[in-house]
Amino acid sequence: MPERTVAVASRSGLHARPAKIFVEAAARQTAPVRIRVGDGKAVPANSMLGVLTLGAGHGTEVTLEAEGPGAEEALAALVDLLSRDLDAEGAEGAADPGAAEASGAV
């Protein structure tokens, strides 16, 4: 089973907005993905409650594992997401009222 380890870049860790963004992205993957901290129990990456219970703060290394068709692609997409500061990206969008319109989110 392929797995990747990445440090959580978001300033607030995997809490609130970054967790929501991550869980939604995990739910869109074709392969089931699980996430864990250290040697702890892996939880489904598409479970908001599961992800929040990990208590992964800024800089915490998490391990993602996936299996089945699309596993490598799913891991690559989610590792890329966790390696970015989703707090800053969300704040920029909130500060720019036109960002929602430009992204088609309105």
Side-chain angles (χ1 to χ4, degrees):
M1 170 180 333
E3 63 179 47
R4 303 251 181 95
T5 300
V6 61
V8 176
S10 290
R11 287 173 285 171
S12 66
L14 274 178
H15 302 284
R17 183 178 305 167
K20 180 179 185 277
I21 293 169
F22 174 77
V23 167
E24 288 174 348
R28 289 191 299 270
Q29 302 307 312
T30 58
V33 180
R34 298 179 63 78
I35 181 172
R36 72 177 190 274
V37 174
D39 292 330
K41 181 181 176 188
V43 299
N46 63 353
S47 166
M48 185 67 162
L49 184 57
V51 169
L52 290 175
T53 61
L54 293 173
H58 173 77
T60 299
E61 287 194 343
V62 296
T63 301
L64 302 172
E65 53 192 42
E67 60 182 309
E72 290 292 343
E73 294 83 0
L75 292 177
L78 296 175
V79 164
D80 177 63
L81 193 63
L82 289 177
S83 65
R84 300 187 336 236
D85 185 355
L86 300 175
D87 290 305
E89 290 178 22
E92 290 168 8
D96 179 7
E101 284 181 38
S103 70
V106 181

